[in-house]
Amino acid sequence: MSTFSAPKGTYDLLPPDSATVLAVREALAAPLRRAGYGYIETPVFEDVALFSRGVGESTDIVSKEMYAFTTRGGDELALRPEGTASVLRAALQANLHRTGNLPVKLWYSGSQYRYERPQKGRYRQFWQVGAEAIGAEDPALDAELIILADDAYRSLGLRNFRILLNSLGDRQCRPVYRAALQEFLRGLELDEDTVRRAELNPLRVLDDKRASVQAQLVGAPMLADYLCEDCKAYHEQVRELLTAAGVGFEDDPKLVRGLDYYTRTTFEFVHDGLGSQSAVGGGGRYDGLSEMIGGPALPSVGWALGVDRTLLALEAEGVVREPAPSSDVFAVPLGEQARKVLFGAVTGLRREGVSADLAYGGKGLKAAMKAADRSGARFALVAGERDLAEGLVQLKDLTSGDQTPVALDALVATLKEKLK
Ligand code: AMP
């Protein structure tokens, strides 16, 4: 133990779990690559106003959870709490929407920061793989993203998740609904916080997890009844495309999600084995966000999948991941001369694409062989002075225990053959 430990709400990713995390990120991204999404990286911090304007002042993410700070130079920055605003900012800054085809399709993988109350599945630094399709209004694009996320989860072996789907309307019909809901909420006995939320962001009240609040919401006006004809038709097409692709979903008229920028299609992937932090991913359409951050009208849609929670979901379902690949070969040098020769052999093997490791630290034979066993390697490479004098090394199959002498200069070829 050192004097220090990882800050509250964060954790270290260590082998062998870290290998699974890499595999999960890769699996979540693979369907995106096949669908024409290009990789993007943006800074971990941005102008704080990008988030307060983009994500919304009234959201918990911005009002309570942001890691905001003033730099020595006086800039007001924040660690990114989510990826969409940054990706859109970067696309606008680089004029991707003018120079390329629309939609501009991008994907990212990175850490996000929210000052939340930590618990299992909820951290202050967590990882997302995300995708954004910028600059097109087409129900097929919304459906594409949902299908790609579904494919990604399935490719990992996850089965016990559900897709919740809703439409939040657009700038024509949503304000009418918002007013109706506000009117309804004003007639309820709500606590101070909720009253404030009802004024700032009434749709969020629908999302309240407390049973007492949910009981009061019985009879609240539902957004589905207020959708304009365009939104209804759009949503119907998304639903049809999902059904045609064999992707099941549940209509959830109360799904609003925590960010202000969503319009029309909104969805969440929930996993039934995760307890209260059940959302493994989510997203939706955000037709107004570009204008909110000073860009042109660019209707867009995207999602973010939580890597940490995907891992927990895999655990909950007992999906066994491939063990972390270990070295194929582990070298055990006996004596100083052998150290030099085997170090050279290991370097040569690695350069030829064979994964190899060495017993470092001047271990004796017994400890070095134990290290070889523990490493999970298939072969040990043992050499002492006498072998080397004859230009040989001993190749020991660690599974069968068989040992054969191999000429040093035939080592690479022999191992490549055996490892085929
Ligand atoms: P959101 O941006 O809130 O829609 O989050 C998208 C996904 O990121 C969620 O479905 C979670 O899987 C994940 N996520 C969000 N917040 C956290 C957190 N504090 N800790 C771990 N994962 C999170």
Side-chain angles (χ1 to χ4, degrees), residues 84 130-133 145 257 262 265 267 282-286 300-304:
T84 302
E132 316 291 351
L145 277 163
R257 300 182 33 77
Y262 287 114
T265 313
F267 51 89
R285 181 155 277 285
Y286 50 94
S300 307
V301 55
W303 50 237

Side-chain angles (χ1 to χ4, degrees), residues 114 116 121-123 126 128 257 279-282 304 306 309:
R114 294 182 195 172
E116 295 195 83
R122 189 162 72 194
Y123 311 104
F126 58 96
Q128 290 180 334
R257 300 182 33 77
V280 286
R309 286 189 203 164

